[in-house]
Amino acid sequence: MTILLAMTPESQAPLWRARLQSALPGRRIVTPNEIGERTQTRYAVSWRHPEGALAGLPNLRAIFSLGAGVDHLFSDPLLPDAPIVRVVDDDLTNRMSEWVVLHALLHLRRQRLYDEAQAERRWREEDLEQPAAKDVRIGLMGLGALGQDAARKLRAMGFPVAGWSRAEKRVEGVGCFHGREGLDAMAARTDILVALLPLTPETRGILDARLFAKLARDGRLGGPILINAGRGGLQVEADIVAALESGALQAASLDVFETEPLPSNSPLWRHPRVYVSPHCAAVSEPEAVTRNIAAQIAAYERGEGLRHVIDRALGY
Ligand code: NDP
Ligand code: OXD
């Protein structure tokens, strides 16, 4: 019985293979060109696998994504019809919340302006307003594993938090909105918009000029702020740049981009009010993720169901 590890960049495969092997001693971990007898493969582990790499495996029981997101799988038209399991793990969740809280605080505390002042050796003690977290409203798009943890930690910092999901939800201490009308209602009370959504046909391009125009204009930060760590496909970058110029957005923190790596000619790199990070908000830590996969396989083979299986029709 083998486990197929199919991923790009291939340079990372040896590290993941070693971690999978130590989490699953006794199992044979193979890469696509070592697969041999295809009936032997029970599980596939993927991160942006090459097209067709998981096809023709008659006994495949599950596909494990090496990340929380699964959109990378759907670019393969030959993806087999096995259950898709995504990563839900405290290590990844904590990392994401750290990044979100960090960026909410960078904007709240106007860190970019103080960095600029430091570069000029300018002592800006009195001329910048310092609103408190309690006066800055956060609107979270996505109230899933990551969104709910971020909501809790943002609340702990004092921010009033609302959240938006596809289906109706209740989350303690969070004003909950859902559906398209709910998004407009949440936007109207949002100073910092945080996107922690999966990329699906419904969410592609959702962070656009239309949405930015709905954000609150009466907030204490002098204009709305966008933070996106979901997927680059959620955002229309031309609209973000135009909104930063028109004032529809005051600033942005972006971890994900329409094209990754972000092309060197993107205006986002040099924009004075944009923080760019290289899709590193919440990396999948190999030990934590492979431990998780091993536990899922063990439970499945004891006859328990797989957890965190996505709904293919919804795409997440
Ligand atoms: P979940 O599946 O747990 O949560 C997704 C949330 O998005 C749910 O609340 C869901 O609503 C909501 N949602 C989905 N579609 C819609 C829609 N059409 N309208 C409104 N709400 C919608 O995912 P996670 O929280 O675990 O992860 C979210 C995403 O974060 C991942 O898919 C991935 O793209 C990204 N990510 C980015 C990383 C990075 O380093 N930048 C690292 C890890 C993840 P409902 O509750 O109703 O289902
Ligand atoms: C993920 C990611 O989906 O790192 O986990 O983007």
Side-chain angles (χ1 to χ4, degrees):
M1 200 271 278
T2 61
I3 298 174
L4 172 64
L5 170 64
M7 67 180 298
T8 58
E10 273 183 43
S11 57
Q12 291 193 9
L15 167 69
W16 281 96
R17 180 196 202 124
R19 292 301 160 88
L20 276 169
Q21 195 66 78
S22 76
L24 290 153
R27 309 288 176 128
R28 198 165 151 254
I29 317 289
V30 295
T31 55
N33 49 16
E34 301 164 343
I35 197 162
E37 179 45 66
R38 301 184 77 82
T39 56
Q40 290 298 309
T41 300
R42 290 283 188 285
Y43 308 102
V45 175
S46 162
W47 185 251
R48 298 184 183 140
H49 66 260
E51 184 176 319
L54 313 190
L57 302 170
N59 294 318
L60 190 67
R61 299 286 189 267
I63 300 168
F64 293 94
S65 167
L66 283 181
V70 292
D71 48 297
H72 63 101
L73 292 166
F74 295 117
S75 58
D76 180 359
L78 302 173
L79 187 71
D81 191 23
I84 295 173
V85 179
R86 64 192 203 89
V87 174
V88 177
D89 183 83
D90 285 351
D91 180 85
L92 186 143
T93 304
N94 289 335
R95 288 167 192 264
M96 180 58 85
S97 293
E98 286 165 11
W99 189 90
V100 170
V101 172
L102 166 73
H103 281 270
L105 291 176
L106 285 174
H107 293 289
L108 174 73
R109 302 306 301 262
R110 303 174 186 278
Q111 189 57 39
R112 218 5 112 71
L113 298 180
Y114 289 114
D115 287 343
E116 286 168 7
Q118 180 175 351
E120 294 164 11
R121 303 180 193 198
R122 193 150 61 95
W123 189 258
R124 280 191 89 168
E125 191 176 351
E126 280 161 3
D127 65 328
L128 287 176
E129 203 206 342
Q130 290 279 8
K134 71 175 177 46
D135 299 322
V136 173
R137 300 158 293 180
I138 300 221
L140 256 170
M141 296 172 77
L143 278 176
L146 301 183
Q148 289 197 32
D149 191 69
R152 203 159 41 79
K153 290 169 182 170
L154 289 163
R155 286 185 60 228
M157 295 309 304
F159 292 103
V161 178
W164 182 67
S165 53
R166 190 182 51 79
E168 194 170 354
K169 267 205 151 59
R170 275 184 198 193
V171 180
E172 199 191 333
V174 175
C176 289
F177 297 83
H178 69 282
R180 269 286 165 172
E181 283 168 19
L183 180 56
D184 289 354
M186 184 179 81
R189 49 80 67 215
T190 291
D191 301 314
I192 300 183
L193 184 67
V194 179
L196 287 177
L197 288 170
L199 181 62
T200 70
E202 274 192 35
T203 62
R204 183 173 289 281
I206 198 166
L207 303 175
D208 65 357
R210 194 206 71 90
L211 178 58
F212 304 150
K214 306 263 176 185
L215 294 168
R217 309 282 330 155
D218 58 351
R220 297 287 302 279
L221 294 177
I225 284 161
L226 171 66
I227 297 181
N228 182 16
R231 279 291 181 265
L234 301 173
Q235 71 200 15
V236 180
E237 283 168 20
D239 286 7
I240 294 177
V241 173
L244 287 162
E245 293 318 308
S246 71
L249 284 180
Q250 201 243 116
S253 288
L254 307 173
D255 182 59
V256 286
F257 300 90
E258 287 173 7
T259 302
E260 293 181 7
L262 181 63
S264 58
N265 63 358
S266 167
L268 295 168
W269 278 116
R270 295 174 66 85
H271 198 288
R273 282 172 281 121
V274 176
Y275 286 96
V276 165
S277 62
H279 198 144
C280 62
V283 295
S284 289
E285 200 284 311
E287 205 167 314
V289 171
T290 54
R291 198 184 322 117
N292 211 302
I293 293 173
Q296 287 257 37
I297 291 178
Y300 177 74
E301 293 183 350
R302 286 195 303 270
E304 297 164 25
L306 290 164
R307 291 161 61 232
H308 314 308
V309 175
I310 64 122
D311 180 331
R312 279 201 187 219
L314 295 174
Y316 72 99

